[in-house]
């Protein structure tokens, strides 16, 4: 079955489909940033776990277990963020296909394209919330034992 190809319709379809590509660029950048954070979380968890296996001091073990629990939460947030961003990219890619098909064929895809785009933007916003929560947890978890001891009058 041959499809009649109208070059002006194809050109317009490509123009329509290019706009969501900019969102895909932002999504790919975010995935890279969050994946880097996740890698650092995993590396830190391995270091804390290795030190906890060697050091049997109860105070240190308690801090290590607390830090590992915090790192697990941060890792889950980063994984959720990556999942949302990946789903966002899928929805935006689907939107691009629908826009192009709607412009170049008789397929009525405008409602599906709008729904896909809005769902993709919603996923992106939820991913940003996960990212913000993870970064806030990371800064909240900063614990400077040496500074606390200095304030209390103890030298390490």
């Amino acid at each position: 079955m041959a499809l009649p190809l109208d070059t002006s319709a194809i050109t317009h379809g490509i123009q329509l489909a290019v706009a969501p590509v900019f969102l895909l660029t932002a999504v790919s950048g975010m995935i890279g940033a969050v994946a880097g954070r996740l890698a650092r979380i995993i590396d830190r968890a391995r270091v804390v776990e290795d030190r906890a296996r060697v050091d049997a001091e109860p105070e240190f073990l308690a801090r290590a277990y607390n830090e590992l629990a915090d790192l697990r939460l941060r890792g889950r947030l980063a994984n959720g963020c990556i999942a949302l961003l990946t789903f966002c990219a899928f929805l935006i890619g689907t939107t691009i296909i629908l826009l192009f098909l709607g412009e170049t064929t008789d397929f009525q895809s405008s409602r599906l394209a709008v729904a896909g785009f809005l769902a993709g933007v919603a996923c992106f916003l939820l991913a940003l919330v996960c990212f913000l929560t993870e970064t806030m947890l990371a800064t909240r978890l900063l614990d400077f034992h040496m500074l606390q001891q200095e304030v209390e009058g103890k030298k390490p």
Side-chain angles (χ1 to χ4, degrees):
M1 161 172 120
L3 293 173
L5 297 177
D6 178 14
T7 56
S8 65
I10 291 173
T11 303
H12 190 256
I14 291 171
Q15 289 170 343
L16 274 177
V18 166
V21 171
F22 293 111
L23 181 56
L24 278 178
T25 303
V27 168
S28 67
M30 280 287 297
I31 288 174
V34 176
R37 291 187 70 82
L38 182 59
R40 292 189 60 143
I41 292 167
I42 291 167
D43 291 344
R44 176 65 185 160
R46 286 182 180 149
V47 167
V48 171
E49 193 174 50
D50 289 344
R51 288 182 184 166
R53 286 190 179 122
V54 175
D55 192 342
E57 180 188 338
E59 183 182 327
F60 175 79
L61 286 176
R63 281 196 326 261
Y65 285 125
N66 286 339
E67 185 174 354
L68 286 171
D70 292 336
L71 289 168
R72 175 182 290 144
L73 176 59
R74 287 180 56 208
R76 288 181 176 157
L77 282 167
N79 276 330
C81 185
I82 290 172
L84 285 166
L85 289 168
T86 302
F87 191 55
C88 171
F90 175 80
L91 289 169
I92 299 303
T94 303
T95 299
I96 292 168
I97 291 169
L98 289 171
L99 287 171
F100 189 75
L101 285 176
E103 205 49 43
T104 58
T105 67
D106 291 335
F107 182 61
Q108 299 297 315
S109 64
S110 59
R111 289 183 186 209
L112 288 173
V114 168
F117 185 76
L118 291 177
V121 170
C123 285
F124 188 74
L125 293 175
L126 289 172
L128 288 174
V129 170
C130 286
F131 182 73
L132 177 64
T133 304
E134 190 276 323
T135 55
M136 289 175 67
L137 278 174
T139 55
R140 183 188 63 116
L141 300 175
L142 291 175
D143 193 10
F144 300 105
H145 296 290
M146 291 177 67
L147 290 177
Q148 287 176 349
Q149 290 173 353
E150 193 173 300
V151 168
E152 294 169 0
K154 304 174 192 174
K155 292 290 179 181

